[in-house]
Amino acid sequence: MDVARIAKDTPKSQKTRARILDQAMRLIAEVGYHAASNPAIADAAGLTRGAMLYHFPTREALVEAAVAHIQAERSTLFRAAADSIPAGADVTEHAIDSYWDLLHSVPFQAFAELEAAGRADPAIQALLAPAQAEFDRAQAGDHTTFKILQAGAGPRFQASRDLARFMLEGLARSTLTYDKDGRKERLLAVIKRATHMLNRKGDIQDLWPE
């Protein structure tokens, strides 16, 4: 029997681990993966270094648990967005507005920071790969969890989802140095119109709304 594992599975220990992972997610989102060091996370969680090491003895153990925690939080937020479509709302526009908001939430920002770190760190990329694949597959096929980007079956509708998703993700990570709000508002309008056109919904024939 693994006594150490059982000790870490007590309600108090689980609560402490959850607090550590919440703070890890927040710090990664706010200051980036490398600045969110184990000592910084321990301090944010109100723990001593020794207490932190009890729960996560290595950086690798913490990052692995943080990836799973962040992915679970992303999925929870996505489910909530999928279930919040107002009666009579345009589903496509609601999906785009919802995903745009999600991209600015702590779990999605933390995941983006990990993806950026993973480009230069194969170990991080290996930890992220299953979550990335799960998210990529689910947004096309799971009507209950990822239905906010669901448009239909076939290559055209897949292109519609990919266009909206990747343009939004790129825009969320971009650095605009002037007229930030106006440019983003215009780009979001064009993304919506392009998605409608690919879905062949309505009589939109021109990407530019004016």
Side-chain angles (χ1 to χ4, degrees), residues 112-184:
E113 290 293 335
L114 288 172
E115 287 182 312
R119 285 195 285 271
D121 190 326
I124 296 175
Q125 179 54 44
L127 290 174
L128 289 175
Q132 290 170 318
E134 175 193 355
F135 190 86
D136 194 39
R137 288 192 300 268
Q139 62 89 18
D142 186 335
H143 289 262
T144 59
T145 304
F146 292 98
K147 65 186 176 185
I148 70 168
L149 289 183
Q150 189 71 27
R156 177 164 56 88
F157 292 110
Q158 181 64 63
S160 170
R161 287 187 292 270
D162 286 344
L163 176 73
R165 175 187 168 190
F166 295 122
M167 288 188 71
L168 290 170
E169 290 176 0
L171 183 57
R173 298 172 192 178
S174 66
T175 300
L176 301 180
T177 59
Y178 67 92
D179 190 18
K180 179 178 178 180
D181 292 339
R183 290 165 73 189
K184 285 187 175 181

Side-chain angles (χ1 to χ4, degrees), residues 62-150:
L62 175 61
V63 173
E64 183 175 5
V67 168
H69 181 71
I70 292 166
Q71 176 65 357
E73 292 296 308
R74 289 206 312 161
S75 295
T76 296
L77 289 178
F78 219 135
R79 289 189 187 97
D83 293 334
S84 68
I85 301 175
D90 183 294
V91 176
T92 296
E93 297 199 6
H94 173 79
I96 291 170
D97 288 336
S98 295
Y99 195 51
W100 178 247
D101 290 340
L102 288 177
L103 289 171
H104 294 85
S105 68
V106 169
F108 277 77
Q109 289 182 324
F111 199 87
E113 290 293 335
L114 288 172
E115 287 182 312
R119 285 195 285 271
D121 190 326
I124 296 175
Q125 179 54 44
L127 290 174
L128 289 175
Q132 290 170 318
E134 175 193 355
F135 190 86
D136 194 39
R137 288 192 300 268
Q139 62 89 18
D142 186 335
H143 289 262
T144 59
T145 304
F146 292 98
K147 65 186 176 185
I148 70 168
L149 289 183
Q150 189 71 27

Side-chain angles (χ1 to χ4, degrees), residues 22-35:
D22 280 339
Q23 292 302 321
M25 178 173 65
R26 181 184 64 81
L27 283 178
I28 291 170
E30 290 180 357
V31 302
Y33 169 76
H34 294 290

